[in-house]
Amino acid sequence: MEVLKKINDLEFKVVEGFNIKYLEPIVLNMLWKMKNNWDDYNEVYHCCQLMESIQKTDDAWIHTHMMKKREEVVGVVFIEGGKIDFNHYLKVKINNEVINENNVMLNYFHIAPDARGNGYKWLSQMIIPHYKNKGIKNIFLKSSHEKSFSLYRRLGSEIGCYTTKSDNQLYTREGKVFQIKI
């Protein structure tokens, strides 16, 4: 586990691979959503499905970024790279751009409710520089959380959109795809 930075009582770390024990911030966000108009999208299930799919892909890798507060995981971001079919996972055609190993995909960026307010700093000062130092040129991500769109627009640009149904087919989820050039 590599420590990227410490700020006050927060520690920002990265570890290779995926482990279900790091999903606590996603579970806490799901609990918040259940109390505040949840749309029946099970992020824990979908995250585990995606991570299992990436782990089965030859020459692909996963990094788990964590924000810890007094040893408790209060934030998580998964970054995937290697030989990944970005168009398949992002569900859009990426502007005829050649997708290669100099790109990564960001998924499941979650911060527990009591640690929110650190997302921009975490992405811009720790995660993006970490991958820039590794020769990565672009971070691609998709999100259907409207409140996160402004954050991703500050860091990059919107390159597509998608629509999908919620798990029980009850709600339509409108999402956007972003590219952060680094």
Side-chain angles (χ1 to χ4, degrees):
M1 188 173 297
E2 177 184 353
V3 176
L4 298 179
K5 199 171 212 175
K6 289 182 183 182
I7 301 174
N8 300 324
D9 62 347
L10 295 175
E11 191 171 51
F12 299 89
K13 298 180 173 187
V14 61
V15 62
E16 289 187 21
F18 168 76
N19 190 313
I20 198 164
K21 69 183 178 183
Y22 300 134
L23 297 180
E24 187 173 353
I26 297 175
V27 172
L28 292 173
N29 280 324
M30 283 183 59
L31 290 172
W32 182 89
K33 285 184 356 180
M34 289 173 70
K35 295 175 186 174
N36 295 282
N37 200 18
W38 187 36
D39 75 352
D40 82 15
Y41 181 74
N42 185 336
E43 289 166 311
V44 171
Y45 170 79
H46 292 287
C47 178
C48 289
Q49 293 285 57
L50 176 62
M51 295 304 123
E52 286 178 21
S53 173
I54 298 291
Q55 287 175 322
K56 292 177 184 174
T57 303
D58 290 335
D59 298 320
W61 51 263
I62 300 169
H63 289 169
T64 301
H65 288 261
M66 292 171 282
M67 179 191 325
K68 288 186 153 191
K69 187 174 188 175
R70 293 184 286 283
E71 291 307 309
E72 179 184 348
V73 178
V74 294
V76 68
V77 179
F78 299 103
I79 304 283
E80 303 86 30
K83 297 199 177 184
I84 296 175
D85 182 350
F86 286 80
N87 291 316
H88 168 75
Y89 286 109
L90 295 172
K91 299 191 184 325
V92 296
K93 184 76 174 158
I94 302 174
N95 300 337
N96 297 318
E97 208 174 302
V98 176
I99 303 303
N100 57 41
E101 293 179 23
N102 291 331
N103 299 305
V104 295
M105 190 167 55
L106 180 151
N107 279 294
Y108 294 97
F109 177 39
H110 285 270
I111 299 175
D114 66 340
R116 290 191 182 143
N118 293 293
Y120 180 81
K121 181 179 1 180
W122 189 12
L123 284 171
S124 66
Q125 295 179 20
M126 289 155 250
I127 293 175
I128 291 172
H130 178 75
Y131 290 98
K132 184 176 185 174
N133 290 338
K134 294 183 175 298
I136 299 300
K137 302 296 182 203
N138 296 288
I139 297 175
F140 292 98
L141 65 109
K142 66 178 186 162
S143 176
S144 59
H145 297 286
E146 285 182 30
K147 291 181 180 179
S148 69
F149 295 165
S150 64
L151 168 65
Y152 299 137
R153 282 189 191 109
R154 283 192 290 166
L155 295 167
S157 57
E158 184 180 324
I159 61 167
C161 57
Y162 64 96
T163 302
T164 188
K165 286 291 197 177
S166 63
D167 291 338
N168 295 318
Q169 308 297 309
L170 299 175
Y171 304 95
T172 300
R173 297 175 61 83
E174 304 287 336
K176 300 196 179 292
V177 180
F178 298 90
Q179 177 180 12
I180 301 170
K181 294 182 180 184
I182 54 178

